[in-house]
Amino acid sequence: MISLGGIGTQVAVKLFDATRDKQLDLAANDALNARQIEAFKERIGDIKSAKEFVADTEVYTFVMRAFDLEDQIFGKAMIRKTLESNSDESSALVNRLSNPKIKDMYDTLGFAPGGGRSFNFNRTGWQDEMIDRFKERVVLNSAGEDNEGARIALEFKSKASEINTWLDVLKDEDLGSFMRRALGVPDEAIAVDLDRQIALFEQKFDIEKLKDPAEVDKLVSRFSAIYDAVEGVSSSSSTVLSLMQGAVSIGQGSTFTAITIDIPTITGGYSASSAYR
């Protein structure tokens, strides 16, 4: 996959967007990923409980990677107990965990209370959505390995359409980091109680605007300009040109095919100092 290291945040985001479909194909064709995708398609419909789910290592690993929980894969006992809990009970384990990714997985898998069978698993449309989610997560994680600013911006773009409240933002580490930087809110605001944080953000931005892709792009541009100024990120035009020419079909003997994308100069009229005034 294409490395985003050594280039500015906004350019990296545009490069990712321009090559996204190709990178998804590459992710699906990777030997390990392809094996996990095939195992998921073949066996997910036969899984009848949370116990059987965690016992199938390939299917379990596929799902955990799809929800960006790869670092939690070895916690099978905890994951099983979470999936067997009843979210209708305030004391349920799934309601006591602070990681929103686990709650997202719980809701999406849809096991019956007690970890009984999920009616989602035999639905072809649901399976396809899970495979798309897996490929997207693999590509996003790979893209962000060498460019922290791009990683945060791409996480925001991938989740923006699902944000409905400021609580959705503040409970997610990456979304909170993105919005604080984009809106000029210092990181020290984390220490303030949640209601005051929400009130502060409400004064700065109407969250309903996130339903408009143009507004999302404006925020990404603003975040990128501020992030790069504060972090001292820069990239030469020759580096960018090289990446554009190498944004390609990669792998297994294939040749490089140059592409052309229009990336305007990213200034946006922002500076690190003006953002925090």
Side-chain angles (χ1 to χ4, degrees):
M1 295 180 208
I2 297 170
S3 171
L4 301 181
I7 57 178
T9 300
Q10 180 76 332
V11 174
V13 170
K14 286 185 175 291
L15 177 60
F16 176 87
D17 287 343
T19 60
R20 179 179 175 278
D21 289 345
K22 187 59 186 179
Q23 295 197 64
L24 289 172
D25 289 340
L26 290 171
N29 291 328
D30 172 83
L32 173 61
N33 296 337
R35 185 164 62 249
Q36 288 185 356
I37 290 171
E38 190 61 29
F40 173 79
K41 289 194 297 185
E42 286 181 353
R43 302 203 293 272
I44 188 64
D46 296 327
I47 291 176
K48 300 178 178 63
S49 67
K51 178 181 179 180
E52 291 183 9
F53 168 68
V54 299
D56 189 319
T57 299
E58 283 187 311
V59 173
Y60 169 74
T61 300
F62 169 92
V63 172
M64 293 291 281
R65 292 181 70 194
F67 286 91
D68 199 22
L69 289 166
E70 196 162 0
D71 60 341
Q72 303 287 325
I73 283 175
F74 293 104
K76 283 189 173 184
M78 187 271 291
I79 295 297
R80 177 184 167 183
K81 287 181 180 179
T82 301
L83 296 176
E84 290 176 343
S85 63
N86 185 349
S87 61
D88 291 336
E89 300 173 356
S90 59
S91 61
L93 180 57
V94 67
N95 293 327
R96 291 187 282 117
L97 296 174
S98 60
N99 190 338
K101 298 173 186 176
I102 296 179
K103 180 62 162 61
D104 185 19
M105 181 175 69
Y106 175 97
D107 291 337
T108 304
L109 293 181
F111 283 107
R117 186 165 194 161
S118 169
F119 292 104
N120 290 327
F121 290 1
N122 284 300
R123 291 174 46 230
T124 301
W126 182 87
Q127 293 176 12
D128 291 341
E129 289 173 4
M130 284 295 298
I131 292 169
D132 288 343
R133 183 171 192 151
F134 172 84
K135 293 189 293 184
E136 180 85 8
R137 176 46 54 190
V138 169
V139 169
L140 279 173
N141 284 352
S142 176
E145 286 179 355
D146 301 319
N147 193 319
E148 180 67 4
R151 186 190 70 77
I152 296 172
L154 290 170
E155 286 289 345
F156 168 75
K157 288 193 70 174
S158 72
K159 299 173 181 176
S161 64
E162 300 172 1
I163 296 173
N164 296 306
T165 68
W166 280 109
L167 184 60
D168 292 337
V169 172
L170 296 177
K171 70 183 181 182
D172 186 295
E173 183 178 354
D174 288 327
L175 293 182
S177 178
F178 177 93
M179 281 299 197
R180 283 191 298 274
R181 189 62 64 93
L183 300 178
V185 176
D187 287 338
E188 287 75 14
I190 298 174
V192 177
D193 69 74
L194 190 59
D195 288 340
R196 290 177 63 190
Q197 288 187 58
I198 291 174
L200 175 61
F201 280 107
E202 286 177 341
Q203 293 173 6
K204 288 183 169 287
F205 187 79
D206 179 3
I207 204 162
E208 288 298 317
K209 291 182 177 180
L210 293 182
K211 304 305 179 186
D212 181 355
E215 289 292 336
V216 171
D217 288 341
K218 286 179 184 178
L219 278 177
V220 170
S221 293
R222 182 179 175 89
F223 168 86
S224 300
I226 297 171
Y227 182 91
D228 289 357
V230 172
E231 302 297 331
V233 176
S234 63
S235 58
S236 67
S237 59
S238 60
T239 301
V240 175
L241 177 60
S242 175
L243 283 163
M244 295 308 155
Q245 292 175 336
V248 291
S249 85
I250 302 171
Q252 298 179 357
S254 61
T255 59
F256 286 87
T257 304
I259 66 170
T260 302
I261 58 178
D262 180 21
I263 298 183
T265 302
I266 307 302
T267 59
Y270 300 115
S271 67
S273 59
S274 65
Y276 287 87
R277 284 205 288 266

